[in-house]
Amino acid sequence: MADWQEITGGITAPRGYRAAGITAGLKPSGLPDLALILSDVEAIAAGVFTTSQVKAACVDYCRQRLQAKHNTRAILCNAGQANAATGSQGWFDALESAMAVAQALNISSDSVLLASTGVIGQRIRIDKLKAEIPQLVAALSDTGSDAAARAIITTDLVTKSIALETTIGDRPVRIGGIAKGSGMIHPNMATMLAFVTCDAAVSPGLWQQMLSRAADRSFNSITVDGDTSTNDSLIALANGQSRTPAIVEMGPEAEKLEAMLTAVCQHLAKAIARDGEGATCLIEVQVTGTHDELSARQIAKTIAGSSLVKSAIFGRDPNWGRIAAAAGRAGIPFEQENLQIKLGNFLLLENGQPLAFDRAAASAYLKGASKGAYLKEDTVLISVSVGNGHGTGKAWGCDLSYDYVKINAEYTT
């Protein structure tokens, strides 16, 4: 049983945080497009970013800032323009954005982190952004999480938010988060932004280690379409306002905090996969029996990312051969005679041998999952075992529908 409970409030649930989201005129649609998250005091910051060689200016900016100092006060996020592949001018736009926020908040510009999302190759509409910064700062509120969550999305159909609370040292500790992402989603980050706030006190190195591990078990374990983006950013702040003793090394309290951080990240990651462009259901792949966790996750991610598996799920076709083929090409050695595959509660393959199963019922299971009739949160569960090892891992994805092609074929037109 989880050692925490879900609470309301999103990124402003932890103590000492405010947030805002407004319409600044950056998106042609006229929808909200500028968000700000502020810690009332200096917060320890950690980040995980895209591994792409083509990176947005905000990614380079954040990496430089976090290498130079671990303390941060604010995160500014614009939607509408990715400010990626925009050359030196895109870099100057990023600097101007940080300076504008810093001046409005009366803080140092190196205490501002940045994120952008939108069309690659388009610079931020910097004049519009700068003109609306005073309005954005004025809108900051300790109930502003929902507004911020709305302002960071692009093709998302829904906002993504979560907050959890546990007890450390007889005092409540909270972690909240918001995220965006729907397409161009694949491990090694994805077209996703996620912002996490925490009111515990954690040493910088340990907070970064916790976040990196949580990212591997969440955002680096989801896939929608096999494409990794230029702007992926996961930024987490810890400001110590819970007034609990500082956590400086691994131990029971650190493990409890990391488990809750991972749960927040996994909730947001699954929400991204569930909201995949054109998707009708979430796919969860559970793999057991490998030598270690990394190997299990690799097999799980390969299955979740298989276009053939995803297409079969959309077609409500219990074609386990596609699952077996994906597991076999994941690059992780295992004996074929040890392979077991289950779809929900339907055992399809055991000891490497196909089994008779009720195909119509299995197809009905897939149809029901698309409507949320069989499993909580519209989830199709694929379970794979490859041996007797202790390694276990999970990955999440979604089905591949006709609408995915339509959405992306017309993305800039």
Side-chain angles (χ1 to χ4, degrees):
M1 184 176 178
D3 195 17
W4 55 77
Q5 61 180 349
E6 185 171 344
I7 58 175
T8 61
I11 51 170
T12 53
R15 293 163 184 78
Y17 291 97
R18 290 175 285 159
I22 65 168
T23 299
L26 305 178
K27 287 180 181 177
S29 65
L31 295 172
D33 49 24
L34 193 60
L36 181 63
I37 302 166
L38 177 68
S39 174
D40 292 339
V41 298
E42 289 281 333
I44 297 300
V48 179
F49 303 95
T50 181
T51 58
S52 173
Q53 295 302 301
V54 180
K55 299 179 290 295
C58 58
V59 170
D60 287 331
Y61 172 90
C62 286
R63 281 180 167 152
Q64 287 190 20
R65 288 289 182 267
L66 291 176
Q67 286 174 0
K69 61 176 289 187
H70 299 292
N71 294 339
T72 296
R73 287 288 306 280
I75 303 170
L76 175 72
C77 178
N78 75 277
Q81 300 85 45
N83 199 25
T86 49
S88 59
Q89 192 56 55
W91 173 254
F92 291 129
D93 290 342
L95 294 180
E96 277 199 74
S97 300
M99 290 178 62
V101 172
Q103 290 173 0
L105 292 171
N106 195 27
I107 63 176
S108 170
S109 63
D110 63 4
S111 291
V112 180
L113 296 177
L114 302 173
S116 299
T117 183
V119 179
I120 295 170
Q122 292 188 5
R123 288 172 51 195
I124 300 170
R125 297 179 179 177
I126 192 67
D127 291 340
K128 287 182 177 290
L129 183 148
K130 290 170 63 177
E132 298 301 325
I133 289 296
Q135 177 193 344
L136 181 65
V137 170
L140 283 167
S141 165
D142 58 9
T143 59
S145 181
D146 288 346
R150 286 192 297 272
I152 67 174
I153 63 175
T154 49
T155 60
D156 306 53
L157 297 179
V158 296
T159 58
K160 300 159 182 73
S161 176
I162 184 69
L164 301 177
E165 180 181 88
T166 191
T167 301
I168 294 178
D170 296 325
R171 292 185 66 86
V173 171
R174 299 171 179 174
I175 299 179
I178 61 172
K180 66 84 53 182
S182 184
M184 211 183 223
I185 303 291
H186 195 61
N188 294 324
M189 304 293 280
T191 300
M192 53 139 288
L193 302 176
F195 308 118
V196 174
T197 56
C198 174
D199 55 18
V202 192
S203 64
L206 186 58
W207 188 232
Q208 180 63 59
Q209 292 170 19
M210 288 180 176
L211 188 67
S212 296
R213 288 192 290 264
D216 282 341
R217 292 166 178 162
S218 58
F219 298 111
N220 279 336
S221 293
I222 60 172
T223 181
V224 168
D225 47 21
D227 279 294
T228 297
S229 176
T230 56
N231 288 55
D232 316 330
S233 300
L234 165 61
I235 300 172
L237 307 182
N239 68 4
Q241 291 301 288
S242 65
R243 305 302 182 188
T244 51
I247 300 174
V248 298
E249 60 184 4
M250 289 306 296
E253 293 181 343
E255 290 172 0
K256 179 186 282 191
L257 187 68
E258 182 174 337
M260 189 164 70
L261 174 64
T262 301
V264 165
C265 291
Q266 286 185 344
H267 175 94
L268 296 173
K270 288 192 284 185
I272 289 173
R274 182 178 294 108
D275 193 28
E277 291 172 340
T280 69
C281 65
L282 176 70
I283 301 170
E284 179 173 311
V285 183
Q286 300 178 354
V287 174
T288 61
T290 57
H291 177 69
D292 55 24
E293 179 186 349
L294 186 63
S295 298
R297 283 208 310 267
Q298 180 60 35
I299 296 175
K301 288 190 289 187
T302 303
I303 295 170
S306 165
S307 295
L308 290 177
V309 172
K310 290 155 62 68
S311 298
I313 298 299
F314 174 69
R316 317 310 172 203
D317 179 10
N319 187 348
W320 60 263
R322 293 180 173 180
I323 301 171
R329 66 175 172 82
I332 303 300
F334 63 85
E335 298 298 329
Q336 183 171 324
E337 57 266 27
N338 292 330
L339 183 62
Q340 180 192 86
I341 296 174
K342 292 178 66 178
L343 181 64
N345 292 322
F346 295 91
L347 183 60
L348 312 180
L349 183 80
E350 189 168 30
N351 298 323
Q353 298 293 318
L355 301 177
F357 67 96
D358 188 334
R359 184 171 294 273
S363 180
Y365 163 77
L366 296 175
K367 291 177 183 176
S370 72
K371 301 174 183 177
Y374 282 76
L375 285 177
K376 183 182 179 182
E377 298 179 334
D378 307 350
T379 305
V380 169
L381 178 61
I382 297 173
S383 304
V384 175
S385 177
V386 298
N388 298 316
H390 297 295
T392 64
K394 295 180 181 180
W396 297 271
C398 60
D399 57 344
L400 184 60
S401 73
Y402 311 130
D403 285 342
Y404 175 84
V405 176
K406 180 177 176 60
I407 291 167
N408 286 283
E410 302 170 355
Y411 188 70
T412 64
T413 57

